[in-house]
Amino acid sequence: MPVTIPPYLKKGDTIAITCPAGYMAAGKAAACIKSLQEEGYEVVIGDTLGSSSLNYFSGTDEQRRKEMQGFMDDKNIKAILCARGGYGTGRIVDKLCFKKFSKRPKWIIGYSDITLLHTFLYQNYNIASLHAPMAAAFNDAGHEPFTGTLLAALTGGKGNYRSKAASFNKYGKAKGNLIGGNLSLLANSIGTSSDFETKDCILFIEDIGEQLYSIDRMLSQLKRTGMLKNLAGLVVGGFTYMKDCDRPFGKNIYEIISEAVAEYYYPVCYDFPVSHSNENVALKQGVKYRFDVNAEGSFLEEK
């Protein structure tokens, strides 16, 4: 089935901001709100942003679910920006009703823990979504090139990205639907309603703060389920703040990934600017891309 692309935004449209997972102080979203308003958008702020919650989450499961459901069903809201990830989306995604949303889809934006929502939408409803910087990214120094890709994508701009040549790159060309996100969440999705088919897709992965052996375990899990076997291509983003044990694992992150896909013949690139750092370009989940890895570097172009 063809993937449904939500309508692109125009000036005067409304973007809602919510926290479906971890807590975020309202002040950390101020720069984002100001930027969206300067772009000509109306902004609706959910109660979960800067909530009075005293634990990790931005509210109870029911509070977070109810707010997300309301924004999904509100015909006046044209996009939903998840202010932050962390953990918690998986606790509410199966309790959301997509009946109205599937008939009138809108852009859902975020990364990290929001990966589960992206893969859920793609696998169950063939609806595209936006893996992109969230609210706090607008505070970072030098954020403009990357938050700018989010603003461009919302109005229909097509992503056309490149990264420099890397020693572990595997050359080749591919076309396919782009899908992926945080590796920990992709592995966590297996066997759930957020599990997804990867055959003939371009998969992208990134992660932060994991033990090297944990990355190896996650990749082994994906490999054992067949998720790495029939890809069109693999885009390896940033793996930041990786950890090792007192007794070293014995391989660095690129060696671990390279070994996991050594038997496959599709193109693979490393150091692509999608990550938990400020280098995080907007990628439309489920949309067709062209992928080319050669001696000059790697190129990912929305078709």
Side-chain angles (χ1 to χ4, degrees):
M1 292 178 61
V3 172
T4 298
I5 310 294
Y8 292 110
L9 275 62
K10 60 184 183 300
K11 290 184 183 299
D13 282 343
T14 300
I15 299 174
I17 298 180
T18 186
C19 295
Y23 170 84
M24 183 178 186
K28 290 187 176 181
C32 173
I33 294 168
K34 181 181 178 182
S35 293
L36 294 177
Q37 290 171 336
E38 289 175 347
E39 291 292 319
Y41 299 119
E42 299 293 328
V43 180
V44 171
I45 303 169
D47 292 336
T48 55
L49 178 62
S51 71
S52 59
S53 172
L54 298 178
N55 61 20
Y56 176 88
F57 301 107
S58 63
T60 66
D61 287 354
E62 177 57 18
Q63 286 170 333
R64 302 191 326 274
R65 183 211 66 81
K66 184 177 180 181
E67 184 167 282
M68 176 63 82
Q69 188 72 66
F71 288 158
M72 288 169 52
D73 293 346
D74 189 336
K75 64 181 180 181
N76 294 315
I77 290 172
K78 305 303 181 183
I80 302 171
L81 172 61
C82 299
R84 68 155 294 188
Y87 166 65
T89 305
R91 294 172 62 100
I92 67 171
V93 65
D94 293 318
K95 300 174 184 177
L96 293 169
C97 176
F98 290 84
K99 184 176 181 179
K100 292 182 179 179
F101 183 89
S102 62
K103 295 178 180 178
R104 192 173 55 242
K106 61 192 70 176
W107 290 104
I108 291 181
I109 309 155
Y111 70 100
S112 190
D113 193 58
I114 314 306
T115 295
L116 287 178
L117 192 49
H118 291 313
T119 57
F120 181 93
L121 286 172
Y122 174 73
Q123 185 64 28
N124 295 282
Y125 294 97
N126 286 293
I127 295 174
S129 54
L130 199 49
H131 184 282
M134 295 184 285
F138 289 78
N139 300 321
D140 296 337
H143 68 82
E144 291 87 355
F146 303 100
T147 55
T149 65
L150 162 59
L151 297 173
L154 284 174
T155 58
K158 291 191 173 184
N160 188 355
Y161 308 118
R162 66 168 296 168
S163 58
K164 63 185 179 180
S167 59
F168 282 89
N169 281 2
K170 290 173 65 174
Y171 297 169
K173 296 182 178 181
K175 296 178 183 178
N177 290 355
L178 184 71
I179 189 70
N182 182 260
L183 178 60
S184 300
L185 275 300
L186 297 178
N188 183 252
S189 74
I190 294 172
T192 74
S193 59
S194 293
D195 201 352
F196 62 102
E197 296 289 335
T198 60
K199 187 175 185 294
D200 298 326
C201 289
I202 301 169
L203 179 70
F204 70 96
I205 57 175
E206 61 82 32
D207 219 317
I208 184 173
E210 292 288 343
Q211 291 279 354
L212 290 172
Y213 77 81
S214 294
I215 297 296
D216 187 80
R217 179 179 61 203
M218 294 173 208
L219 290 169
S220 294
Q221 186 177 6
L222 265 61
K223 191 169 184 176
R224 292 178 66 198
T225 63
M227 294 177 74
L228 299 180
K229 183 177 182 180
N230 295 309
L231 295 177
L234 177 65
V235 176
V236 180
F239 279 73
T240 50
Y241 303 111
M242 291 292 104
K243 305 172 186 176
D244 205 353
C245 301
D246 292 338
R247 187 174 181 86
F249 185 72
K251 297 183 181 72
N252 64 37
I253 186 63
Y254 290 163
E255 290 170 334
I256 292 170
I257 298 171
S258 179
E259 181 182 76
V261 298
E263 66 191 85
Y264 308 127
Y265 296 99
Y266 46 73
V268 183
C269 82
Y270 294 77
D271 276 337
F272 189 81
V274 56
S275 70
H276 271 70
S277 74
N278 65 341
E279 293 189 351
N280 189 26
V281 297
L283 297 173
K284 295 173 187 172
Q285 294 262 21
V287 172
K288 293 280 187 182
Y289 280 77
R290 182 182 294 108
F291 184 41
D292 185 2
V293 184
N294 56 47
E296 296 180 1
S298 55
F299 306 83
L300 188 65
E301 180 182 8
E302 184 183 344
K303 293 181 65 180

